[in-house]
Amino acid sequence: MSVTTPTPAVESAGPPAPARAHWQHRLAERGVDRHLWLLTPALLFVVLLFLYPFFYGLGLSFQPTEGGPFSDYARFFGDAYQRDTIWTTLGLALPAALLNVVASVPIAYRMRGRFRGKRLVTILLVVPITLGTVLTAQGLLNFLGPTGWFNRVLTALHLTDEPIRLVHNYWGVFFSLVITGFPFAFLLVLSYLSGIDPTLERAAATLGAGWWQRFRMITLPLLMPGLATTFCLTFVLAFSVFPSAVLVGNPAGETRVISIAAYQAAYEQYDYPYASAIAMIMGLIELVVIAVVLFARTRFYTGSTGGKG
Amino acid sequence: MVTTTAATDTRRRIVARPAAWLVWGAVIFFFLNLLGVVGSVLVSSFGQRWFDTWFPDGYTTKWYGDAWTEFALLQVITVTLQVSLLVVGLSLLIGVPAAYVLARRSFPGKRAIYLVFLLPILMPPITYGIPLATVLYKFGFAGHLSGVVLANLVPSVPFVILTMTPFIEQIDPRIESAARMCGAGMRSVFLRVLAPLLLPGMLASAILVLVRTVGMFELTFLTAGPDSQTLVVALYYSMSAAGIRAQQSVDAMAVMYTAMMLVLLVIALRYVNPTQLVARVKEEPEP
């Protein structure tokens, strides 16, 4: 705002062009000047590679190979095998995201101070995020399998007589979501927590508040907006579970998530309109969950937390 | 009491409260499992035969050679590097100028534009990946390197914009004003004033995009053809065809992927804060 550069029209403006300089000047006062051309590549990119495919897919989903414009949507909701993928996905993603966020809070609360090895802990936590779901799936198959180390330890401790079945079902996928999602949630919660000014809690302690009161009345309300954002981002990660649902899950039954349904429609039946319809339903459900959480977020305090941010 | 003194005390204090033990126990349990997950892949890749025992019968490195030839890994790694470097370069070229305008200017419609840039990060990749792959197939990009690069740009450019914005906000606008006063045009302000100041930020976001692109599965999976697979996608295909290949050579490939990611991670952590690897969440601007 403060820097309004002279536009070329102004520099070269002879007497015949005062009207043109005028509207350019007026626009420049509102912040529209030739610097905005710098946005063009990014806008072009987002329109061509994100908005156009999105609306193309939306249009395609209303032009099914047979039937009226809504028949692909009707087909999805009419078929129980397809419709249930919504509940399967939510049944995996919601508990996993919730567990990741809830478990992060006490651990981050404990670790927000300075202690030796804090950097090491955060670095170790970044490892599963960078490795990604495909490698985690491969590791889980080895580790949690019937002859894997986890079952061996349980048997050696006499906690169980025969190996527990933990892969190729719901739990395998759930564990893979926790292994990649928990560090993600933890690091975000930790950064939100360290943005809260510690003197606020010390003031409460001076006034005689115990640790639970300090956490409940001071820290938690300030942390709530951050927790809502963390939940959203963790949920997005968990909602798009695809590789682990195929590899450590049971992709034909228990863990047939909605992304598998979309993938099968597109790449096994080559029915692009139907696949687009499923993708649209998937996006809509995800946005509804996020909108609910973000709406709840507006009801919390969202001002400055007094810390370094 | 404990937390407040720990914050001021620089010395470490051994705390023996049950809550603390519970928390540390949970963290250690998590790390033990993580170690088991990564370790069992590592041990298996060196094992000769490993069925119903704690450790393999003998150790060998032959699976690495097998995996290298069997999965044509040289080609796969070349493709991975090509895709990642192209994505990094292009997303910086597109993202940095946009981040500059969004950080410095206020103009009508700015919030809407910001929201559009945020959307690709907020949506699961499969949701926009399937329509995007359909469009890329229609125009003949998908199945080649160009299609993979274009698809991977979709989450990378917004990510560059998000990570660069705070770096740009840090630079005092008066420096630019001074440069303009001395007669510098837009080009020289960018190349001779802003670029050197923004170099650390660009390096950080380049490395973050690199890590994310090498690890990006869904978009590459949906758009890659047989000769444009990256390492993650090749790993996925070899895993879902389990039983055809020896388990150990798939593990060897997984170890190579892990090693590649860890090298990138070590480089990344020299320049960025671990939290930045996760996400750069733009909070409400300071009043």
Side-chain angles (χ1 to χ4, degrees):
Chain A
M1 270 318 284
S2 52
V3 194
T4 38
T5 48
T7 50
V10 175
E11 282 167 2
S12 62
R20 195 158 157 260
H22 189 62
W23 66 259
Q24 281 194 333
H25 217 85
R26 278 219 321 253
L27 278 179
E29 268 170 11
R30 304 187 60 183
V32 181
D33 58 27
R34 65 196 171 117
H35 276 136
L36 294 193
W37 284 110
L38 290 172
L39 269 178
T40 332
L43 278 179
L44 211 62
F45 145 82
V46 95
V47 167
L48 285 182
L49 284 175
F50 185 72
L51 293 179
Y52 170 67
F54 179 80
F55 285 108
Y56 179 82
L58 189 67
L60 203 62
S61 73
F62 291 118
Q63 298 159 25
T65 36
E66 52 193 51
F70 291 99
S71 65
D72 266 343
Y73 289 93
R75 198 165 122 207
F76 182 83
F77 286 107
D79 184 355
Y81 187 56
Q82 300 282 46
R83 190 178 55 220
D84 289 349
T85 56
I86 295 177
W87 303 117
T88 312
T89 316
L90 289 179
L92 267 169
L94 283 178
L98 206 62
L99 174 76
N100 289 336
V101 174
V102 169
S104 311
V105 175
I107 299 176
Y109 190 70
R110 172 78 35 196
M111 288 194 180
R112 83 205 138 129
R114 286 165 55 188
F115 61 90
R116 220 182 298 162
K118 181 170 177 175
R119 194 169 161 79
L120 184 72
V121 170
T122 42
I123 287 173
L124 284 178
L125 280 171
V126 174
V127 171
I129 304 172
T130 43
L131 290 184
T133 40
V134 179
L135 188 101
T136 313
Q138 171 77 345
L140 282 175
L141 284 179
N142 288 353
F143 178 64
L144 293 180
T147 59
W149 283 338
F150 191 77
N151 268 317
R152 283 189 172 279
V153 170
L154 287 189
T155 325
L157 293 174
H158 297 290
L159 289 174
T160 163
D161 289 332
E162 38 184 80
I164 310 174
R165 203 159 159 256
L166 290 169
V167 290
H168 298 301
N169 61 8
Y170 178 88
W171 292 107
V173 184
F174 188 81
F175 287 132
S176 93
L177 290 180
V178 170
I179 283 197
T180 44
F182 169 73
F184 182 86
F186 173 79
L187 289 175
L188 277 177
V189 171
L190 188 66
S191 68
Y192 281 117
L193 258 178
S194 36
I196 296 175
D197 192 347
T199 50
L200 293 174
E201 263 201 64
R202 255 176 270 158
T206 328
L207 297 172
W211 74 269
W212 172 248
Q213 274 179 310
R214 292 201 303 263
F215 177 73
R216 173 75 191 75
M217 313 291 281
I218 311 280
T219 314
L220 194 61
L222 289 173
L223 189 62
M224 268 329 258
L227 286 187
T229 312
T230 310
F231 180 83
C232 284
L233 293 172
T234 320
F235 176 75
V236 172
L237 271 190
F239 192 76
S240 59
V241 47
F242 178 75
S244 54
V246 175
L247 297 171
V248 277
N250 175 9
E254 252 180 299
T255 65
R256 189 170 184 273
V257 291
I258 191 163
S259 43
I260 295 182
Y263 174 77
Q264 283 177 342
Y267 289 82
E268 285 172 17
Q269 300 156 14
Y270 298 103
D271 189 347
Y272 293 111
Y274 191 37
S276 304
I278 300 177
M280 294 300 144
I281 294 169
M282 183 178 168
L284 192 70
I285 293 170
E286 190 239 14
L287 287 181
V288 165
V289 172
I290 287 189
V292 168
V293 175
L294 289 184
F295 174 74
R297 186 180 184 272
T298 58
R299 305 182 62 91
F300 303 124
Y301 171 77
T302 50
S304 158
T305 49
K308 50 191 178 337
Chain B
M1 260 355 244
V2 173
T3 44
T4 47
T5 45
T8 48
D9 243 342
T10 43
R11 271 177 307 136
R12 189 200 157 125
R13 292 185 41 163
I14 307 276
V15 203
R17 283 210 296 169
W21 286 115
L22 208 66
V23 164
W24 283 109
V27 172
I28 289 169
F29 181 72
F30 181 83
F31 277 130
L32 275 181
N33 283 308
L34 184 63
L35 194 73
V37 167
V38 180
S40 57
V41 175
L42 188 68
V43 170
S44 167
S45 75
F46 285 107
Q48 221 148 31
R49 265 163 13 103
W50 190 11
F51 292 116
D52 202 10
T53 44
W54 281 91
F55 286 100
D57 300 339
Y59 293 93
T60 170
T61 51
K62 77 171 170 129
W63 301 113
Y64 284 85
D66 282 7
W68 189 265
T69 48
E70 208 173 338
F71 301 116
L73 282 187
L74 183 64
Q75 199 248 343
V76 171
I77 289 175
T78 319
V79 169
T80 311
L81 290 177
Q82 278 173 339
V83 168
S84 326
L85 293 179
L86 277 172
V87 168
V88 168
L90 285 174
S91 54
L92 279 182
L93 271 181
I94 300 175
V96 174
Y100 173 78
V101 175
L102 289 172
R104 276 289 150 83
R105 292 310 174 107
S106 69
F107 51 88
K110 180 177 161 177
R111 289 180 69 90
I113 289 181
Y114 214 95
L115 184 73
V116 170
F117 282 135
L118 268 178
L119 266 179
I121 295 189
L122 280 179
M123 301 278 269
I126 291 264
T127 318
Y128 61 85
I130 285 182
L132 176 67
T134 316
V135 167
L136 289 176
Y137 272 109
K138 195 176 108 182
F139 291 106
F141 286 114
H144 308 287
L145 201 72
S146 54
V148 178
V149 171
L150 285 176
N152 274 297
L153 277 178
V154 175
S156 303
V157 170
F159 194 73
V160 167
I161 293 178
L162 278 187
T163 40
M164 285 307 290
T165 310
F167 282 103
I168 294 169
E169 279 167 350
Q170 277 170 15
I171 296 177
D172 193 339
R174 282 177 297 183
I175 296 176
E176 288 157 56
S177 311
R180 286 221 180 80
M181 287 284 290
C182 297
M186 201 159 82
R187 245 176 76 105
S188 44
V189 167
F190 257 89
L191 291 180
R192 301 182 53 186
V193 179
L194 286 176
L197 286 172
L198 283 179
L199 205 61
M202 290 202 274
L203 207 60
S205 73
I207 287 166
L208 293 176
V209 169
L210 191 66
V211 171
R212 288 170 74 105
T213 309
V214 174
M216 168 53 79
F217 171 76
E218 283 92 346
L219 291 174
T220 315
F221 176 66
L222 290 175
T223 49
D227 54 356
S228 52
Q229 287 175 11
T230 60
L231 199 49
V232 216
V233 177
L235 184 61
Y236 173 84
Y237 277 120
S238 64
M239 276 178 71
S240 50
I244 303 172
R245 265 67 174 241
Q247 171 72 26
Q248 284 94 331
S249 65
V250 178
D251 283 328
M253 185 169 165
V255 170
M256 284 188 235
Y257 168 74
T258 314
M260 190 169 169
M261 284 309 260
L262 286 182
V263 168
L264 283 180
L265 190 64
V266 167
I267 299 173
L269 287 170
R270 289 186 63 90
Y271 298 99
V272 296
N273 175 359
T275 0
Q276 275 186 313
L277 272 165
V278 171
R280 169 73 219 184
V281 187
K282 175 91 178 126
E283 277 299 276
E284 278 74 27
E286 259 99 300

